[in-house]
Amino acid sequence: MPAKAAAAVTTEIMEVGASLGNMPGLQFKEELSWRAGKSIAIADLLRRLQALHREMRDMEQEENERDSFTKAAKDLASPNLLAHKDKGVRAWTACCLVDILRLCAPDAPYTGQQLKDIFNMLITVVLPALSDPSNAYNQQHLYVLTSLSQVKSIVLLTDIPSSDPLMVHLFTSFFDLLAGSTKTSTGEQLGKNVEFHMTSILVTMVDESATLPSEVVDVIVAQFLRTDPRVMNGIVGKGKKHAATLDEKQSTLTLKELPPAYTMAKTICISCPEKMARHVSQYFNDVIVDASSSSAAKSMGKKTSHRRVSDDLDNSDLENGNGPTDEDLNELYKVHQLLRELWRACPMVLQNVIPQLEAELSAENVHLRSLATETFGDIISGIGAAGLPPPSILDPAAFPPFDLSDTAESTLNVNVLTKPSSPQPFPQTYSQAYASFLGRSHDRSPVIRSAWTTGIGRILTTSAGGVGLAQPEEDRLIKDLARMLGDAEEKVRISAVQVVGTFSFRAVVFKLGSSGGLDKPGSVLAVLAERVRDRKHAVRVEAMRVLASLWGVASGALAAAEEQVISTIGAAPSKILDTYYANDMDLMVLLDHVLYEQLLPLSYPPVKAKSAKLANGYSQKVRESQTSGDAETDIIDPDKVRTERILLLVRDLDERAKKVFFAMQTQQTQLAKVMTAYLQRCEDFNGGVMDENEKPVKEHMARLINTFAQRLPDSLKATESLWKFAKMHDRRSYQLIRFCMAPESDYRTVVKAIKEFTKRIEQSATASQELLNILIPLLYRVSLIVYNKSHVAAIMEYSRTDDKSLAATAHELLREISTRTPEILKAHVQEICMILQDEAPNSKKTNDAGAVDNLKACASYALKFADEIPQDRKFVQAMTSFALHGTPAEAAKHAVTIIMTASDKKELLAKDLVAKCINSFEYGGEGFLARLATLSQFMLLAPHQANQESDAVSEIAIEKVLLQVRTSSTESPESYSWSPTLDTECEAKCWALKILVNRIRSHPEPDTLSEMADPVYKLLSTLVTKSGEVSSAQDTPPAHKSKLRLTAACLCLKLCTKKHTDALFTSTAFNALALVAQDPVLNVRSSFMQRLKKYLGHQKLPQRFYTIPFLLAFEPSASLKSDNTTWIRSRTAAFYALKAQQPSSKGSIVMESVFARLLSLLAHHPDYDNTAEDLVDFARYLLYYLQPVATAENLSVIYHIAQRVKQSRDAIDPSPAYDNSLYHLSDLAQLTIRKYEDAHNWNIQTLPGKVRLPTSLYTELKDHGDAQRIAEKNYLPDGVEEGVEELVKTSMRAARSQGKKRRNEGDHEFNRRESKRAKQIPTRKAPPKEKKANPAATPTKTPKKTKRKSSEDAVPSGERRRSGRVQTTGGAYKERGDEEDDEEMGEGVAVWKYEDGEETSEQEPEDQEEEEVDEPTPKLSPKPSPKAKKGALFARGGKKHAKGR
């Protein structure tokens, strides 16, 4: 109440009192004041004050005479008491004063100055003393606080002139009191009543004050940042004695309630929403204006352009000089943090601030836009100043793995400060601001889009702060997240990937998975999978880590066959491993890390007995499938658990990814040998100190280091690091690496060795992190991690029990282990042999289906360690039983391999088994397929014993099996199809073919080989050219024909892996075989190409077979064509890498010299014709060759080869018709190369010499006049040039749109960067086409060609294929003989390994590859379009071939 009204009110009360009679008054009469020098003793003073307080405490308002308080009130306000040095005096004085204020209310019997002195003592002395509950006068202090709160005497402070400092001190001291140390030496805490009364006092002050000092507003709002330990020291408690204690408390992550100061500020805002809304709005506006004014003042002093250079934080405002200073940014950050917490605590005070924040979204200053975008995202998500709770960590190594049935979230360590909580649904409360926020997804700045992406991720993970999102709104945000994953800017894509990584496993499955799984285009997870092949390595790293971790966490649900998890995440490993085909070294290293750190973590599983807890806060229990209550099942077998993860991974892989996985394991065997040699050379190198053989050691080590360096991204750094490692000469590290590679090392030994090796490198004084980054991928590649002996027992158990439907995968993995690293089976081979003995079949009993894999494992092991295979009679008898009665027939084959490898009576057993197979053979009889397989393998491994019965064996194979047709078919003789199942008759014919082929492969006498092989080659050629038809009645079932054609083609490839049998395979037969790559059935094409690429990759086939992959230019299957193109690029890159190592090698231009053979193959193609339309179509073959092979450096060689073809004649079928076809193709090739050259801005250089062509395909033109006439004539008809030009342009556009990322897929393509030479070299080009005036150059109509010979015509058996090397040295052209071709073919990278009939330690058991032919993936080819007819025709030719030439 104002002081000027006090007199009137007092008079009124006195008059009322007089009318009512005399009222009791204060009885206290003692003195409380004194003159100077006559002070009252402290004891007496305390007694008097206590007596006065006791009397007034019991009095009620309006029941006592007011005048009786006048003297006591005056004495209490004297400076002697207010400033007394004794704490007790001050405390009791304060109690009496608040009693006076209560009894005299509503008017205080004091002047303004007296009130100021009184409240100064109360606010600065008495109330702050409440911070010490152990104070002797704490009850008096509490009484004062209670009275001020209940009587609301504190409101008098608003009537005091210049009271703002006191008000600021009141608020500051109260907040500091609650936020400071609440414990004393006695351990006593402040009571809740203290907090309540303080809050009441401050609410009264805010409510009764017309205005609040800005400092008070600052103090109030600052309390909301007490939840953020990161900024506490900067804005709260600065300079206060409890600042350090405060920061320590707020950093606690296990708070059970909000800080008291925070709660008090929240209560103030809730109690006075309108006033606080006005003050908070002004506070926010002042900070923004200050920051903007600072930026404007700064920019005024500098001349800057009105046009922004960029809108990115990295190069915009800061570079232009008009951005906020660091201090401004700090203040802006604090105020936006404050808004986050205010929304959580009291959103009603932000009703005027949200529109201001919305305006920031459109600010020109990118800093403000970024802060506003981040703040909106956190406000909608209910995230306060304390930030997010600990993120959900996708720990792929956690055990047990997560199960969707485990839904209970742990209540431990729940931090109330960080738990997202939104009191209101922001999208509905502020719909316009929410729409503006969503519009930031199209902001021009990638920084804003990145912040926006993070924001919507938090909205989705928190379900908008717990209030939930409408389904359409959630679907929209998920769709936007998918769009951000494909943003043009790298940082936006990284943010989007990281956002996906913050989702819990359940949220990924049920929330993100609602838009579709990895296989649904456009879904979040599908776009995430695309990012693993992103053009930026940083994005690939994040995407692959997140995707692999998701699968690792989901492995438990995958094992439990959760359909939703399988459809959502099951394909993740395939998407990751598919990046291997990009042939990018950075990706290769990343794959190593992801495979052994996320998909199959080295630390998985952490050994725990009964339960485990994920790092993301979810508690998991061992499921019923893992425990049954007894003690034995509570014990976890880490090897079995890990094996299950491996089997799940392999099971979920598609065919492409599975090839990659097995290839990564296969390279372990190869690289381990290189590493062994490298470690030995490191020992010899001795840190660089050698007494002898220094040069050979260094040269050998350099080659070994180069082998490793070529497999790493930065070969120069890798080379330097590997030399540095050798100079360190750490013998312990050498031994640790050997432990990792040793087959006898169990999994625990390998992992411990890797960890110790990593630790040694990290702690080494001479090693750097870069050295570790180089060595760890190499260590992963050479270590036996997957194919480890610890896993074999569990794999065998899964193969027998089919637990969780993993038997088929276990069998497949066991086959791979037995083939690649049979050494690790050493501890289990006896067990395998015992199982085989128990499962041995007989005439009344069949063996188990899994016996085939056990037999193969045993056979592979026997090839290396024959002495460790049992020799006892029972085991030999079991193998004999498998050879006669095994099912499927593969079992008999492997049993024969074991007998011939390990038995000491192999000759006797072979003779006996051959006799049994022949004597009791009857088609359809018991075990007849096993007997055919047995005869086939004995023909290979025991030719002497088998050939003693050669006539009988031939009769069985040919007369009783091949030439008989026992399965009737209702389809027409021309029908040709594929069956997903292989019936008995077709399988028998396949084994019969293998019998005949194996007889040739094992024939010991080269002189008589041709006589024996000719009929077999003729039979195989008939099957290839006649589409699998061998019966004269033309009644072979269509499904048999496709299978027989494929088998015959693969057997031809097998024969050509031997040098002496390859010599008998004629060029005509080769051309017919090549057309199998264009078979109308996809399964035939893909299986044939798979076998061809396998042999070429192992360098077992001659160079001419490199022409066949280029026939897939018209392949209708996109996946097959893509795989083929990738393989060509890979092989070309390998040849270029070898060329870099051996520049002088003649075999370094294999792919270039193949071009001459390709032209010959196309000239003999059954679809070839000299019309303009067909020639343009055939130019697609040439382009399909040029795209992966041609570079600026080798284009001259290819062009010269095309020219040289026009200077030769056909040697396969000498005739004018074929010569004319070659000349047409030569001109077509030159034209295509020139157009391709122009499209790339390359220059064709003149070669110093002439190119030699393979003499088996081309012969020399004897007549000089004919040669001159042919060279000058243009054989191309009108319209070809325009068609080829358009074809090249179309292919270039397609390449640019699809393959800009593919430049890294072949190391040789780095040459394309040198598009122009500083020194121009004279070029040689074909004569210009504008020669219509010259009759000699005009295409003339040629007479009708004579009919070509059919590809089935006989060819001299001695004719063989020649190499097509390019000779770059000078000298006249000269045709070479067969010996010269053979010598050149054997040099450099063109060296291939002919099989010699003996098994090597690295390859499968002999004839092992044929099993791939038996069970190819059943899939019919889509019908090719008319333009793609070249890609899917029989070897017997299409319609044009039927017309003849």
Side-chain angles (χ1 to χ4, degrees):
M1 178 179 293
K4 62 184 180 181
V9 175
T10 304
T11 302
E12 182 180 354
I13 294 175
M14 291 176 65
E15 291 176 353
V16 172
S19 64
L20 296 175
N22 292 329
M23 299 176 62
L26 181 66
Q27 303 300 316
F28 181 81
K29 302 299 182 181
E30 297 186 65
E31 291 291 335
L32 294 176
S33 61
W34 61 90
R35 297 191 191 95
K38 295 184 179 181
S39 62
I40 302 174
I42 293 178
D44 290 341
L45 189 58
L46 287 173
R47 178 185 55 78
R48 296 174 187 179
L49 288 172
Q50 291 173 13
L52 175 61
H53 170 63
R54 281 194 299 270
E55 183 180 354
M56 290 191 296
R57 183 180 60 189
D58 297 331
M59 292 182 176
E60 298 294 336
Q61 288 179 314
E62 301 179 358
E63 296 181 2
N64 297 279
E65 177 63 40
R66 291 179 58 88
D67 291 341
S68 63
F69 299 107
T70 303
K71 184 178 184 305
K74 179 180 178 182
D75 291 343
L76 289 171
S78 67
N80 292 334
L81 291 179
L82 294 179
H84 200 283
K85 64 180 181 180
D86 185 74
K87 295 180 181 179
V89 172
R90 293 198 302 268
W92 286 108
T93 300
C95 291
C96 294
L97 283 171
V98 296
D99 286 338
I100 292 292
L101 294 177
R102 175 177 61 84
L103 295 172
C104 296
D107 293 323
Y110 297 111
T111 64
Q113 184 60 43
Q114 287 176 322
L115 282 176
K116 186 173 183 180
D117 293 340
I118 291 171
F119 278 107
N120 183 65
M121 188 267 288
L122 294 177
I123 293 174
T124 61
V125 177
V126 176
L127 294 180
L130 287 167
S131 62
D132 184 9
S134 63
N135 191 296
Y137 300 100
N138 187 63
Q139 289 298 323
Q140 287 70 39
H141 301 155
L142 184 59
Y143 180 83
V144 173
L145 177 70
T146 304
S147 178
L148 291 174
S149 170
Q150 293 177 347
V151 182
K152 300 189 184 302
S153 305
I154 194 67
V155 75
L156 295 172
L157 185 61
T158 61
D159 295 333
I160 301 174
S162 304
S163 62
D164 286 356
L166 283 177
M167 188 179 296
V168 172
H169 196 284
L170 174 67
F171 278 82
T172 302
S173 61
F174 274 14
F175 282 116
D176 283 349
L177 179 63
L178 289 185
S181 174
T182 57
K183 290 187 178 181
T184 62
S185 58
T186 63
E188 194 174 353
Q189 295 184 357
L190 287 176
K192 286 291 182 182
N193 58 334
V194 175
E195 179 182 347
F196 172 78
H197 292 306
M198 284 183 176
T199 304
S200 177
I201 290 173
L202 297 187
V203 168
T204 301
M205 289 299 299
V206 173
D207 191 39
E208 295 294 334
S209 299
T211 60
L212 287 177
S214 60
E215 293 86 350
V216 169
V217 177
D218 291 347
V219 170
I220 294 175
V221 297
Q223 308 313 310
F224 292 99
L225 291 179
R226 290 187 181 274
T227 58
D228 185 3
R230 296 166 295 180
V231 298
M232 283 304 302
N233 290 332
I235 61 172
V236 179
K238 186 174 182 179
K240 309 297 179 186
K241 67 177 182 178
H242 298 309
T245 305
L246 172 67
D247 184 67
E248 180 182 355
K249 177 181 179 181
Q250 300 306 314
S251 64
T252 304
L253 297 179
T254 57
L255 293 176
K256 297 298 187 297
E257 57 184 12
L258 293 169
Y262 176 98
T263 304
M264 186 161 64
K266 177 180 177 179
T267 304
I268 293 172
C269 291
I270 293 176
S271 302
C272 311
E274 294 182 1
K275 283 192 175 183
M276 289 307 301
R278 184 171 65 253
H279 292 306
V280 169
S281 176
Q282 184 62 43
Y283 173 84
F284 180 77
N285 187 61
D286 290 344
V287 174
I288 300 299
V289 169
D290 290 345
S292 302
S293 300
S294 174
S295 300
K298 182 180 178 182
S299 62
M300 289 295 292
K302 299 183 180 182
K303 295 182 179 180
T304 58
S305 172
H306 292 289
R307 183 177 183 274
R308 297 172 64 87
V309 176
S310 171
D311 204 23
D312 195 326
L313 282 177
D314 296 333
N315 55 10
S316 60
D317 295 337
L318 296 178
E319 289 186 0
N320 293 337
N322 59 353
T325 63
D326 291 341
E327 184 179 355
D328 296 334
L329 288 176
N330 188 37
E331 290 301 319
L332 288 171
Y333 170 78
K334 291 176 183 177
V335 76
H336 285 81
Q337 284 288 87
L338 171 64
L339 294 181
R340 293 170 167 87
E341 197 59 44
L342 283 173
W343 174 261
R344 282 165 49 92
C346 42
M348 65 287 295
V349 304
L350 297 180
Q351 55 187 331
N352 300 326
V353 178
I354 296 299
Q356 293 177 273
L357 186 62
E358 179 187 354
E360 285 188 24
L361 291 173
S362 303
E364 178 68 17
N365 189 294
V366 71
H367 302 276
L368 283 179
R369 289 210 315 281
S370 177
L371 279 173
T373 303
E374 294 172 359
T375 303
F376 264 118
D378 286 350
I379 284 177
I380 300 170
S381 305
I383 298 171
L388 284 166
S392 299
I393 300 177
L394 298 173
D395 184 7
F399 181 81
F402 197 90
D403 192 330
L404 289 180
S405 62
D406 299 329
T407 59
E409 184 174 355
S410 174
T411 58
L412 298 177
N413 299 326
V414 173
N415 189 344
V416 69
L417 304 183
T418 57
K419 181 179 179 180
S421 175
S422 179
Q424 298 178 2
F426 188 92
Q428 285 75 35
T429 307
Y430 298 99
S431 57
Q432 182 177 349
Y434 181 69
S436 299
F437 167 73
L438 294 181
R440 287 304 94 199
S441 65
H442 301 286
D443 196 283
R444 63 183 180 273
S445 171
V447 175
I448 307 302
R449 297 200 302 277
S450 177
W452 185 86
T453 302
T454 303
I456 66 167
R458 292 178 176 180
I459 294 171
L460 287 170
T461 54
T462 62
S463 294
V467 298
L469 287 168
Q471 192 60 46
E473 190 60 37
E474 182 175 291
D475 293 342
R476 174 183 176 176
L477 292 180
I478 291 174
K479 185 177 180 180
D480 287 339
L481 178 58
R483 181 164 54 83
M484 291 296 103
L485 281 167
D487 193 89
E489 287 292 333
E490 174 186 359
K491 63 175 63 178
V492 180
R493 298 197 301 276
I494 291 178
S495 295
V497 172
Q498 291 172 342
V499 161
V500 177
T502 62
F503 282 73
S504 66
F505 171 60
R506 290 180 56 82
V508 170
V509 175
F510 294 112
K511 193 168 290 186
L512 297 184
S514 63
S515 65
L518 290 168
D519 295 325
K520 182 179 179 181
S523 68
V524 171
L525 296 176
V527 183
L528 173 66
E530 293 174 3
R531 297 280 66 79
V532 300
R533 300 186 68 133
D534 197 276
R535 62 182 180 273
K536 297 293 185 179
H537 185 64
V539 182
R540 297 197 296 253
V541 171
E542 286 294 329
M544 206 171 285
R545 179 189 61 80
V546 171
L547 195 59
S549 297
L550 276 175
W551 186 90
V553 173
S555 60
L558 291 171
E562 295 279 357
E563 288 298 331
Q564 189 166 1
V565 179
I566 294 173
S567 61
T568 304
I569 308 176
S574 295
K575 301 294 184 182
I576 292 172
L577 293 178
D578 191 63
T579 58
Y580 186 91
Y581 291 98
N583 202 22
D584 184 289
M585 294 304 166
D586 285 308
L587 273 175
M588 301 288 191
V589 172
L590 182 57
L591 269 179
D592 293 323
H593 285 285
V594 167
L595 181 61
Y596 300 117
E597 293 169 12
Q598 272 87 34
L599 293 176
L600 302 173
L602 294 178
S603 58
Y604 180 82
V607 179
K608 294 184 180 180
K610 293 184 179 180
S611 64
K613 187 175 296 181
L614 281 178
N616 60 10
Y618 289 99
S619 178
Q620 302 174 48
K621 296 180 180 180
V622 179
R623 294 180 290 278
E624 293 180 1
S625 60
Q626 293 173 315
T627 68
S628 59
D630 55 47
E632 293 182 2
T633 56
D634 287 342
I635 300 175
I636 295 175
D637 181 3
D639 293 331
K640 184 175 181 180
V641 172
R642 193 182 315 108
T643 301
E644 179 182 311
R645 172 78 74 93
I646 295 172
L647 293 175
L648 284 172
L649 175 68
V650 177
R651 185 194 67 183
D652 290 342
L653 296 176
D654 58 26
E655 288 303 317
R656 282 169 55 91
K658 193 174 292 185
K659 291 178 184 176
V660 172
F661 180 79
F662 288 143
M664 294 178 72
Q665 308 311 316
T666 300
Q667 77 172 354
Q668 186 277 333
T669 306
Q670 303 165 355
L671 291 181
K673 295 180 179 180
V674 182
M675 180 61 75
T676 301
Y678 171 69
L679 295 179
Q680 183 57 49
R681 284 308 180 193
C682 287
E683 298 274 9
D684 299 338
F685 186 66
N686 196 31
V689 180
M690 293 170 282
D691 296 331
E692 57 183 10
N693 300 325
E694 180 176 352
K695 184 177 180 180
V697 169
K698 288 185 176 180
E699 289 178 351
H700 190 202
M701 181 176 287
R703 292 196 298 271
L704 295 170
I705 289 176
N706 185 67
T707 301
F708 286 127
Q710 294 301 321
R711 297 171 178 265
L712 296 171
D714 193 332
S715 57
L716 294 179
K717 286 185 179 179
T719 301
E720 180 182 347
S721 298
L722 289 171
W723 275 111
K724 184 176 183 179
F725 178 71
K727 292 176 182 177
M728 289 171 58
H729 198 48
D730 184 359
R731 287 191 172 91
R732 176 60 181 171
S733 295
Y734 300 161
Q735 187 58 41
L736 291 173
I737 297 177
R738 292 188 176 103
F739 284 150
C740 294
M741 300 186 296
E744 57 271 13
S745 296
D746 60 12
Y747 186 84
R748 186 180 179 187
T749 301
V750 173
V751 172
K752 289 177 66 177
I754 292 176
K755 290 182 178 179
E756 183 180 345
F757 178 84
T758 303
K759 187 176 181 181
R760 289 184 69 85
I761 298 298
E762 288 175 342
Q763 296 179 349
S764 174
T766 59
S768 62
Q769 183 63 35
E770 183 178 315
L771 176 61
L772 190 62
N773 295 339
I774 296 295
L775 293 176
I776 288 299
L778 293 179
L779 191 57
Y780 284 158
R781 294 176 186 181
V782 302
S783 300
L784 284 169
I785 298 175
V786 176
Y787 292 173
N788 190 277
K789 74 173 189 177
S790 298
H791 302 150
V792 175
I795 294 174
M796 293 174 61
E797 180 180 348
Y798 276 107
S799 68
R800 293 194 301 270
T801 62
D802 197 22
D803 186 20
K804 299 182 180 179
S805 302
L806 293 173
T809 307
H811 284 305
E812 185 176 12
L813 198 60
L814 192 60
R815 285 197 299 269
E816 287 291 326
I817 292 176
S818 64
T819 301
R820 308 303 175 191
T821 54
E823 298 88 349
I824 70 172
L825 298 175
K826 184 174 183 179
H828 306 275
V829 68
Q830 297 297 328
E831 179 184 355
I832 294 175
C833 293
M834 291 298 296
I835 293 174
L836 291 175
Q837 286 182 196
D838 297 337
E839 295 181 352
N842 52 45
S843 58
K844 298 180 181 180
K845 169 190 169 185
T846 60
N847 58 274
D848 185 74
V852 177
D853 298 307
N854 290 334
L855 283 166
K856 182 176 181 180
C858 189
S860 301
Y861 189 81
L863 291 171
K864 283 192 173 182
F865 311 101
D867 294 340
E868 298 184 20
I869 300 297
Q871 304 284 339
D872 58 282
R873 181 175 176 276
K874 187 175 181 180
F875 180 73
V876 174
Q877 183 59 43
M879 295 300 101
T880 303
S881 298
F882 274 110
L884 295 175
H885 308 285
T887 56
E890 290 288 336
K893 186 185 81 169
H894 297 313
V896 172
T897 302
I898 296 174
I899 291 173
M900 297 306 298
T901 306
S903 177
D904 53 359
K905 299 179 180 179
K906 61 185 70 176
E907 293 83 4
L908 182 61
L909 290 172
K911 184 176 181 180
D912 181 58
L913 281 173
V914 168
K916 289 182 179 180
C917 291
I918 294 173
N919 295 336
S920 59
F921 182 84
E922 179 182 354
Y923 184 89
E926 190 274 326
F928 83 103
L929 286 177
R931 296 167 194 267
L932 288 174
T934 298
L935 290 174
S936 170
Q937 199 70 351
F938 275 131
M939 277 293 178
L940 182 67
L941 302 179
H944 178 71
Q945 288 76 17
N947 284 326
Q948 292 178 3
E949 303 289 346
S950 59
D951 294 339
V953 172
S954 298
E955 181 183 359
I956 291 174
I958 299 174
E959 300 298 334
K960 293 185 179 182
V961 179
L962 280 174
L963 298 182
Q964 301 296 323
V965 178
R966 296 176 174 85
T967 303
S968 60
S969 175
T970 59
E971 301 182 48
S972 63
E974 291 78 15
S975 298
Y976 187 79
S977 63
W978 182 266
S979 173
T981 58
L982 183 66
D983 62 21
T984 303
E985 181 182 1
C986 187
E987 184 179 1
K989 290 183 177 181
C990 291
W991 283 113
L993 287 174
K994 293 175 184 179
I995 290 174
L996 301 177
V997 169
N998 284 345
R999 186 182 181 190
I1000 299 175
R1001 293 172 61 196
S1002 62
H1003 189 70
E1005 300 177 4
D1007 297 337
T1008 59
L1009 177 62
S1010 177
E1011 180 181 354
M1012 178 185 293
D1014 283 347
V1016 177
Y1017 271 116
K1018 185 175 181 180
L1019 175 62
L1020 295 176
S1021 296
T1022 300
L1023 288 170
V1024 169
T1025 56
K1026 291 188 175 182
S1027 304
E1029 182 61 78
V1030 71
S1031 172
S1032 58
Q1034 304 289 310
D1035 56 353
T1036 301
H1040 289 192
K1041 291 194 289 185
S1042 60
K1043 185 64 180 179
L1044 289 174
R1045 188 187 194 208
L1046 174 60
T1047 303
C1050 292
L1051 290 175
C1052 288
L1053 295 178
K1054 172 66 75 174
L1055 287 171
C1056 290
T1057 59
K1058 291 176 175 290
K1059 186 174 182 179
H1060 54 282
T1061 51
D1062 174 59
L1064 304 179
F1065 197 66
T1066 64
S1067 298
T1068 301
F1070 173 83
N1071 290 343
L1073 176 66
L1075 294 179
V1076 178
Q1078 296 179 329
D1079 191 277
V1081 175
L1082 175 60
N1083 296 86
V1084 176
R1085 300 197 304 272
S1086 60
S1087 297
F1088 174 73
M1089 291 304 301
Q1090 181 180 357
R1091 183 61 57 84
L1092 173 68
K1093 290 185 288 187
K1094 177 180 180 180
Y1095 288 153
L1096 287 174
H1098 292 166
Q1099 298 182 357
K1100 291 182 178 181
L1101 289 172
Q1103 175 183 332
R1104 58 175 169 171
F1105 284 89
Y1106 276 102
T1107 59
I1108 299 179
F1110 295 106
L1111 292 183
L1112 268 64
F1114 289 88
E1115 172 57 48
S1117 171
S1119 60
L1120 178 57
K1121 186 175 182 179
S1122 174
D1123 289 348
N1124 186 68
T1125 304
T1126 301
W1127 182 85
I1128 294 174
R1129 292 178 185 274
S1130 177
R1131 294 306 302 160
T1132 307
F1135 288 136
Y1136 269 83
L1138 232 59
K1139 180 180 180 180
Q1141 299 177 27
Q1142 304 174 9
S1144 61
S1145 173
K1146 294 181 180 181
S1148 59
I1149 52 173
V1150 174
M1151 302 306 287
E1152 293 87 341
S1153 58
V1154 163
F1155 192 59
R1157 297 183 178 276
L1158 178 61
L1159 293 179
S1160 174
L1161 179 59
L1162 294 178
H1164 290 266
H1165 195 284
D1167 277 345
Y1168 177 79
D1169 202 349
N1170 292 335
T1171 63
E1173 181 183 0
D1174 280 357
L1175 287 173
V1176 173
D1177 276 349
F1178 267 67
R1180 289 182 60 178
Y1181 288 111
L1182 305 179
L1183 271 176
Y1184 188 66
Y1185 167 85
L1186 292 174
Q1187 286 172 342
V1189 175
T1191 65
E1193 281 67 29
N1194 68 5
L1195 192 65
S1196 300
V1197 177
I1198 300 173
Y1199 185 78
H1200 192 65
I1201 291 173
Q1203 290 180 318
R1204 288 291 296 122
V1205 169
K1206 203 172 180 182
Q1207 302 170 16
S1208 308
R1209 298 185 60 193
D1210 186 73
I1212 299 177
D1213 191 354
S1215 68
Y1218 282 108
D1219 292 344
N1220 200 36
S1221 298
L1222 285 175
Y1223 303 151
H1224 277 79
L1225 285 171
S1226 174
D1227 281 344
L1228 179 65
Q1230 294 177 56
L1231 173 63
T1232 306
I1233 293 171
R1234 291 199 303 272
K1235 297 300 181 183
Y1236 195 78
E1237 169 205 14
D1238 294 339
H1240 288 80
N1241 294 322
W1242 293 344
N1243 289 309
I1244 297 178
Q1245 307 169 18
T1246 302
L1247 294 182
K1250 292 184 178 181
V1251 175
R1252 294 180 178 180
L1253 303 181
T1255 56
S1256 58
L1257 304 179
Y1258 300 96
T1259 59
E1260 183 181 7
L1261 281 171
K1262 304 298 183 181
D1263 187 88
H1264 179 72
D1266 290 343
Q1268 184 68 25
R1269 176 181 58 81
I1270 293 170
E1272 293 177 353
K1273 181 178 179 180
N1274 182 9
Y1275 284 83
L1276 298 180
D1278 292 336
V1280 173
E1281 182 171 2
E1282 292 77 6
V1284 171
E1285 184 174 6
E1286 181 61 27
L1287 182 63
V1288 172
K1289 290 181 180 179
T1290 303
S1291 67
M1292 292 300 297
R1293 285 195 296 269
R1296 280 193 294 269
S1297 63
Q1298 299 177 4
K1300 285 184 178 180
K1301 307 173 189 176
R1302 299 188 62 86
R1303 291 198 175 186
N1304 293 329
E1305 292 187 8
D1307 291 345
H1308 70 286
E1309 294 194 13
F1310 75 93
N1311 296 318
R1312 297 185 179 181
R1313 292 177 300 207
E1314 302 178 8
S1315 59
K1316 291 186 178 181
R1317 300 287 182 178
K1319 180 180 179 181
Q1320 295 295 332
I1321 303 176
T1323 61
R1324 177 187 299 172
K1325 296 188 178 181
K1329 292 199 68 175
E1330 290 77 4
K1331 289 189 177 182
K1332 293 186 178 181
N1334 185 0
T1338 304
T1340 58
K1341 207 156 189 175
T1342 58
K1344 187 175 180 180
K1345 293 183 255 183
T1346 59
K1347 192 170 183 178
R1348 292 187 179 185
K1349 294 183 179 180
S1350 170
S1351 58
E1352 302 166 25
D1353 293 346
V1355 183
S1357 60
E1359 184 177 357
R1360 58 172 296 172
R1361 300 293 281 162
R1362 309 291 192 267
S1363 172
R1365 294 283 177 215
V1366 177
Q1367 181 68 27
T1368 57
T1369 57
Y1373 172 76
K1374 159 175 123 167
E1375 295 292 349
R1376 300 167 298 166
D1378 291 356
E1379 295 300 326
E1380 290 176 284
D1381 272 347
D1382 291 341
E1383 286 179 11
E1384 185 175 320
M1385 198 179 295
E1387 294 180 358
V1389 297
V1391 174
W1392 52 80
K1393 303 172 185 176
Y1394 281 111
E1395 290 188 355
D1396 55 8
E1398 297 181 1
E1399 289 294 335
T1400 61
S1401 60
E1402 297 179 19
Q1403 302 302 328
E1404 300 180 6
E1406 199 67 42
D1407 205 27
Q1408 206 58 246
E1409 294 85 349
E1410 273 68 12
E1411 67 183 33
E1412 298 176 12
V1413 182
D1414 295 338
E1415 294 291 339
T1417 305
K1419 184 176 179 183
L1420 292 177
S1421 168
K1423 186 176 181 179
S1425 61
K1427 278 291 183 182
K1429 59 186 178 181
K1430 276 72 175 182
L1433 292 177
F1434 289 93
R1436 58 189 175 191
K1439 295 180 179 179
K1440 296 181 181 179
H1441 181 61
K1443 294 179 182 179
R1445 297 295 179 184

